[in-house]
């Protein structure tokens, strides 16, 4: 690994706070990724992931799901069967939530954010697995809520806490499945994160996914982002 131009500090969750859901291969590759960041010039600092995880629970276990219902209210109430069954269960559950619960969740999130912002202030960014493990599609279809909850363990807090994040490939497992990590920082740190991600991905030497094509040279990143905006492409498994 080649060190990047400037030294940096990065947060690593305490080992007992990491969840790999029994996936020892993923756990091994995560700690190898931490070693790689150190080789690139980083200093690892142990951080407390628990408040991030607790904040994430507000997304589906609390009234924040009502925001999703508000976005599709007329469509959903007219004929909820046009949605996948799991969406009917999750979004439909928002009908039972009250305004009082919504404000209580808002206040809880503000409390969590004060604590999580303090953890982030100790470092330049935090690294976590992108997902603690991955599942066959059939498993997710059979038990979508639990398995999707596991898949979102490291991501469900990002939007709630207003953080910027980039997921990068880290390694290919012995069984041919991929493993990746996520680097996240406070909002508006997109450019530094993308610059580090470019160095990271070039260092891994991994091909472009299953097509086995080499990674092209990274283009110049805008500095800063013009008008504070960046174009994004969005796709989702819920689309038909």
């Amino acid at each position: 690994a080649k060190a990047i131009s400037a030294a940096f500090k990065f947060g690593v969750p305490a080992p007992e706070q990491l969840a790999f859901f029994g996936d020892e291969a993923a756990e091994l590759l995560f700690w190898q990724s931490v070693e790689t960041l150190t080789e690139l010039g980083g200093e690892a600092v142990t951080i407390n992931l628990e408040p991030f995880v607790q904040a994430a629970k507000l997304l589906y276990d609390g009234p924040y799901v009502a925001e999703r219902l508000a976005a599709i209210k007329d469509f959903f109430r007219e004929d909820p069967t046009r949605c996948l069954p799991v969406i009917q269960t999750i979004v439909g559950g928002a009908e039972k939530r009250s305004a009082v619960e919504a404000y209580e969740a808002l206040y809880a999130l503000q409390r969590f954010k004060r604590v999580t912002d303090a953890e982030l202030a100790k470092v330049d960014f935090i690294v976590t697995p992108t997902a603690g493990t991955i599942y066959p599609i059939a498993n997710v279809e059979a038990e979508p809520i639990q398995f999707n909850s596991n898949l979102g363990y490291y991501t469900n807090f990002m939007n709630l806490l207003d953080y910027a994040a980039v997921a990068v490939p880290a390694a290919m497992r012995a069984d041919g499945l991929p493993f990746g990590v996520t680097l996240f920082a406070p909002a508006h740190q997109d450019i530094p994160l993308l610059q580090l991600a470019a160095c990271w991905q070039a260092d891994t030497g991994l091909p472009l996914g299953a097509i086995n094509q080499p990674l092209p040279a990274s283009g110049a990143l805008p500095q800063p982002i013009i008008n504070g905006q960046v174009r994004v492409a969005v796709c989702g498994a819920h689309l038909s």
Side-chain angles (χ1 to χ4, degrees), residues 43-68:
E43 176 188 345
V45 177
T46 301
I47 58 95
N48 179 15
L49 190 67
E50 185 60 23
F52 297 87
V53 174
Q54 291 302 316
K57 293 180 179 179
L58 293 172
L59 186 60
Y60 291 116
D61 297 343
Y64 272 93
V65 73
E67 185 176 16
R68 299 192 174 203

Side-chain angles (χ1 to χ4, degrees), residues 2-227:
K2 297 180 180 179
I4 60 176
S5 58
F8 57 90
K9 288 185 178 181
F10 65 98
V12 181
E16 66 273 11
Q17 296 176 338
L18 291 165
F20 295 97
F21 311 99
D23 191 334
E24 294 181 359
E27 184 173 9
L28 176 63
L29 290 175
F30 174 71
W31 291 112
Q32 287 181 2
S33 298
V34 171
E35 291 181 11
T36 298
L37 283 170
T38 302
E39 293 169 0
L40 287 171
E43 176 188 345
V45 177
T46 301
I47 58 95
N48 179 15
L49 190 67
E50 185 60 23
F52 297 87
V53 174
Q54 291 302 316
K57 293 180 179 179
L58 293 172
L59 186 60
Y60 291 116
D61 297 343
Y64 272 93
V65 73
E67 185 176 16
R68 299 192 174 203
L69 178 58
I72 62 168
K73 181 182 65 177
D74 295 339
F75 175 88
F76 186 85
R77 288 175 175 170
E78 181 180 325
D79 182 7
T81 63
R82 289 182 290 186
C83 298
L84 294 172
V86 64
I87 297 176
Q88 293 179 50
T89 299
I90 293 174
V91 175
E95 298 277 18
K96 304 174 184 177
R97 298 293 186 174
S98 70
V100 171
E101 290 177 291
Y103 276 104
E104 288 174 339
L106 174 63
Y107 301 151
L109 182 60
Q110 291 172 338
R111 290 193 296 270
F112 284 131
K113 186 163 175 60
R114 283 195 292 272
V115 177
T116 58
D117 282 355
E119 288 298 302
L120 258 179
K122 301 175 183 177
V123 294
D124 294 301
F125 65 91
I126 293 174
V127 60
T128 68
T130 298
T133 189
I134 49 179
Y135 302 106
I137 293 174
N139 291 37
V140 178
E141 290 178 341
E143 201 172 343
I145 294 179
Q146 181 58 56
F147 284 125
N148 273 295
S149 177
N150 293 353
L151 291 171
Y153 184 84
Y154 299 105
T155 55
N156 284 348
F157 58 79
M158 294 292 185
N159 286 349
L160 288 174
L161 294 170
D162 195 28
Y163 294 145
V166 58
V168 292
M172 295 299 294
R173 298 158 40 132
D175 58 10
L177 296 175
F179 174 78
V181 295
T182 292
L183 318 175
F184 74 93
H188 311 303
Q189 293 300 305
D190 310 68
I191 294 300
L193 284 175
L194 289 172
Q195 290 173 333
L196 180 57
C199 293
W200 168 279
Q201 195 161 359
D203 184 75
T204 64
L206 290 170
L208 294 177
I211 62 176
N212 208 34
Q213 295 295 313
L215 178 72
S218 59
L221 296 171
Q223 182 70 33
I225 295 176
I226 299 172
N227 298 329

